[in-house]
Amino acid sequence: MPWPNGHVECIALATDRAIASKEKAIREVVHYIHRAGGDIELARKNGGQQLDVITEMIRKHIPEHNREAIIQSLRLDLDVINYRNLDVDENAKGSMRQIMELAIEGGMLKQRIDIDAFAEQRFNSQLIDQH
């Protein structure tokens, strides 16, 4: 899906109870999501051995994707999947709304979700330089 900053790759979910009682743990998870995104971006930029290591990590979790498909999806010149904009902001919400509309159209969701009600911005993180 074309989108100004790439498409949404993942969404982290936490219950209201966890947000209220485990804020430090959630911040740690978000930190490491950003760190992993930074590692992937460096591998995309540098290629070679770094990209091979990232590709093997991805294949451990998604064995259905072969090495070539992963490398093609991470190509800098295409920039269809990137990990530079991981925070919840208006751009991310717009992308999530687009995905939601497609999910409704495809029958995966029965109704619209109020993204503003569940998109918690206090866990946004500028910890990792993602350029």
Side-chain angles (χ1 to χ4, degrees), residues 57-111:
M57 283 187 210
I58 293 169
R59 292 205 68 225
K60 284 181 187 176
H61 299 285
I62 312 171
E64 298 83 11
H65 294 318
N66 65 42
R67 180 183 183 281
E68 185 61 27
I70 294 167
I71 288 173
Q72 291 301 313
S73 72
L74 295 175
R75 282 178 40 190
L76 287 174
D77 61 324
L78 297 178
D79 207 26
V80 293
I81 297 176
N82 70 65
Y83 299 84
R84 293 185 303 269
N85 302 287
L86 299 176
D87 286 333
V88 175
D89 58 15
E90 289 309 312
N91 195 22
K93 289 180 189 179
S95 182
M96 287 186 267
R97 284 185 186 96
Q98 183 180 12
I99 291 168
M100 175 178 60
E101 293 301 327
L102 292 171
I104 290 168
E105 182 181 317
M108 291 178 277
L109 286 176
K110 293 181 181 180
Q111 62 189 26

Side-chain angles (χ1 to χ4, degrees), residues 1-128:
M1 286 187 335
W3 196 257
N5 292 325
H7 85 108
V8 174
E9 181 62 21
C10 64
I11 298 172
L13 299 173
T15 63
D16 289 339
R17 183 177 174 192
I19 290 170
S21 65
K22 298 181 180 185
E23 183 172 334
K24 184 177 177 183
I26 293 171
R27 287 191 186 283
E28 184 177 358
V29 169
V30 170
H31 168 82
Y32 283 104
I33 289 171
H34 279 252
R35 186 169 172 182
D39 291 346
I40 293 169
E41 285 300 312
L42 280 174
R44 291 177 70 215
K45 180 181 173 185
N46 296 334
Q49 179 64 27
Q50 285 182 319
L51 187 57
D52 288 340
V53 169
I54 292 295
T55 300
E56 286 308 308
M57 283 187 210
I58 293 169
R59 292 205 68 225
K60 284 181 187 176
H61 299 285
I62 312 171
E64 298 83 11
H65 294 318
N66 65 42
R67 180 183 183 281
E68 185 61 27
I70 294 167
I71 288 173
Q72 291 301 313
S73 72
L74 295 175
R75 282 178 40 190
L76 287 174
D77 61 324
L78 297 178
D79 207 26
V80 293
I81 297 176
N82 70 65
Y83 299 84
R84 293 185 303 269
N85 302 287
L86 299 176
D87 286 333
V88 175
D89 58 15
E90 289 309 312
N91 195 22
K93 289 180 189 179
S95 182
M96 287 186 267
R97 284 185 186 96
Q98 183 180 12
I99 291 168
M100 175 178 60
E101 293 301 327
L102 292 171
I104 290 168
E105 182 181 317
M108 291 178 277
L109 286 176
K110 293 181 181 180
Q111 62 189 26
R112 285 175 181 78
I113 298 166
D114 182 358
I115 291 171
D116 290 316
F118 81 84
E120 182 58 69
Q121 291 181 286
R122 77 175 124 156
F123 297 103
N124 284 357
S125 172
Q126 299 302 318
L127 299 175
I128 302 299

